[in-house]
Amino acid sequence: MNSFEPRVFSGVQPTGNLTLGNYLGAIKKFVALQDTNNCIYCVVDLHALTVNPNPEELIDGTRSIAAAFLAAGIDPVANIVFNQSRVHEHAELAWVFNCVARMGWLNRMTQFKEKAGKDRENASVGLFAYPTLMAADILAYRGTHVPVGDDQKQHLELARDIAQKFNNDYSKRIGDLQLGVPVTVGEETVNGYFPLTEPIIEGPATRIMSLRDGTKKMSKSDPSDLSRINLTDTADDIAKKIRKAKTDPEPLPGETDGLAGRPEAENLVNIYAALSETDMGEVLRDFGGQQFSVFKPALAELAIEKLDPLATEMRKLLDDSGYLDQVLAAGADRASAIARETMGDVKRIVGLSG
Ligand code: AQP
């Protein structure tokens, strides 16, 4: 618990077509949170640079994620929706955090290890420092809650470590400048400047897996298009991908225990549960004992029913790129006002301004 004003922040990077994993693991939750929270949703285009995207694709990708946010139901007036590179404080605060974070912390990040692969020497410094920029994204707004998929848990723990070290290293100065807010760490309450952000990783869809390999995360950068459902896929594409999804020869079990050791079956049941807003037990009560020849068409029908209206709305929004750019610019103005204040405080705290 801490006494910061509750504020939700999350981001999605424009590195390709959004997938069903991004939708169920993140964007659908963003929509639900806006009813009861103060929310800031960001297209994190600076993060996309870590993997050298084609410039035209980066511009289109940024608009496409903004379109997905709006098509899914995020209200850009009640919330702040913008792209990261328009607010330079993200990069500025990330530099301060690069000087707070320790090499050992970043060396432990599994996402870097996975993305850099065997050729680590050739990975960009940006890819290595990705988590410190992510911490700056959240903490520029002193975000208290971050809805994300399970894969981002480790990065959020790092953001907490950075906040805690910053609070400790500068506690005297924070107190002298009267910028402190009570932050509770375990049993102890200290005076800090940044909150220890809580991740929101809940529900059945925290990790949607590849349709070709139930042990691998569904990802927009997977070379196989059959591994994922893209939010822009047509109804035919969705039906084909589910029909071709890898499964095993057994019928579905009647209870979730029966899914142990069957990652592909578990993933499809999980997707059905998330799309129908139930849980896996409920799905298996309806489909236990059935073959995939029965379950897959039912899943395809449900996925099309939920995703097709979203894709149609996204296409409509993407036809009006001027409107999307306007939404992002207006959101950035509002975001800047908050981030500027934080960065002003941080400069005073660390001694970059008097
Ligand atoms: N498979 C997934 N299941 C549940 N949640 C997921 N997320 C991503 N994949 C899944 C969540 O989506 C949000 C935005 O992700 P991101 O684009 O910022 O980065 P990512 O986690 O690296 O997503 P991808 O699709 O795997 O992108 P690439 O291929 O570019 O690396 C995050 O909240 C993430 O947890």
Side-chain angles (χ1 to χ4, degrees), residues 55-68:
E56 284 81 21
E57 284 176 10
L58 181 53
I59 294 169
D60 289 347
T62 297
R63 289 185 181 134
S64 169
I65 292 189

Side-chain angles (χ1 to χ4, degrees), residues 13 15 21-22 115 148-149 151-152 208 217-221:
Q13 50 172 342
T15 40
N22 299 128
K115 290 200 171 176
V148 276
D151 60 318
Q152 293 298 328
I208 300 294
K217 188 186 80 148
M218 181 181 285
S219 172
K220 41 180 143 67
S221 57

Side-chain angles (χ1 to χ4, degrees), residues 111-268:
Q111 181 172 292
F112 174 74
K113 290 182 198 161
E114 279 165 19
K115 290 200 171 176
K118 291 204 174 68
D119 197 8
R120 212 180 280 191
E121 290 293 305
N122 206 25
S124 70
V125 175
L127 189 65
F128 184 71
Y130 183 113
T132 56
L133 178 58
M134 180 164 156
D137 298 336
I138 300 162
L139 295 174
Y141 306 95
R142 301 211 268 177
T144 56
H145 293 85
V146 179
V148 276
D150 186 56
D151 60 318
Q152 293 298 328
K153 192 168 169 203
Q154 196 185 31
H155 287 166
L156 279 172
E157 280 160 9
L158 191 105
R160 289 168 65 92
D161 289 343
I162 289 175
Q164 194 163 342
K165 182 159 164 45
F166 183 95
N167 289 343
N168 288 341
D169 289 356
Y170 295 103
S171 61
K172 177 162 184 321
R173 183 95 178 140
I174 293 167
D176 290 349
L177 292 168
Q178 299 189 336
L179 291 170
V181 174
V183 183
T184 304
V185 188
E187 303 285 287
E188 204 192 345
T189 298
V190 294
N191 219 9
Y193 183 74
F194 287 118
L196 305 185
T197 308
E198 298 283 343
I200 305 178
I201 306 175
E202 302 169 339
T206 55
R207 186 176 283 253
I208 300 294
M209 309 309 277
S210 157
L211 298 179
R212 305 303 297 164
D213 176 350
T215 62
K216 246 174 78 184
K217 188 186 80 148
M218 181 181 285
S219 172
K220 41 180 143 67
S221 57
D222 191 303
S224 164
D225 193 51
L226 283 177
S227 70
R228 60 177 167 265
I229 293 175
N230 304 306
L231 292 192
T232 47
D233 279 347
T234 63
D236 286 351
D237 291 333
I238 295 173
K240 183 178 89 184
K241 288 177 178 179
I242 292 177
R243 197 169 56 243
K244 288 185 175 262
K246 186 176 167 202
T247 45
D248 56 44
E250 301 297 317
L252 284 173
E255 291 180 11
T256 49
D257 287 356
L259 291 170
R262 300 178 63 188
E264 284 83 16
E266 183 176 6
N267 187 37
L268 295 186

Side-chain angles (χ1 to χ4, degrees), residues 293-336:
S293 55
V294 173
F295 182 64
K296 280 182 167 181
L299 176 59
E301 193 183 329
L302 175 66
I304 292 165
E305 179 197 317
K306 300 285 179 187
L307 300 180
D308 206 37
L310 188 68
T312 307
E313 185 59 22
M314 270 180 78
R315 279 192 284 273
K316 215 162 81 188
L317 286 160
L318 284 167
D319 278 343
D320 191 352
S321 57
Y323 169 69
L324 291 172
D325 291 349
Q326 218 179 307
V327 167
L328 293 171
D333 283 347
R334 292 163 64 200
S336 286

Side-chain angles (χ1 to χ4, degrees), residues 18-87:
L18 281 170
T19 70
L20 181 65
N22 299 128
Y23 176 63
L24 294 176
I27 298 173
K28 194 166 184 290
K29 292 175 188 158
F30 297 177
V31 180
L33 284 163
Q34 68 180 348
D35 292 338
T36 44
N37 290 278
N38 207 334
C39 303
I40 303 180
Y41 295 129
C42 184
V43 184
V44 287
D45 49 4
L46 293 175
H47 282 281
L49 284 184
T50 58
V51 289
N52 304 322
N54 164 308
E56 284 81 21
E57 284 176 10
L58 181 53
I59 294 169
D60 289 347
T62 297
R63 289 185 181 134
S64 169
I65 292 189
F69 283 174
L70 303 189
I74 292 171
D75 175 349
V77 176
N79 306 285
I80 298 179
V81 174
F82 73 108
N83 59 314
Q84 185 188 25
S85 61
R86 289 180 192 259
V87 180

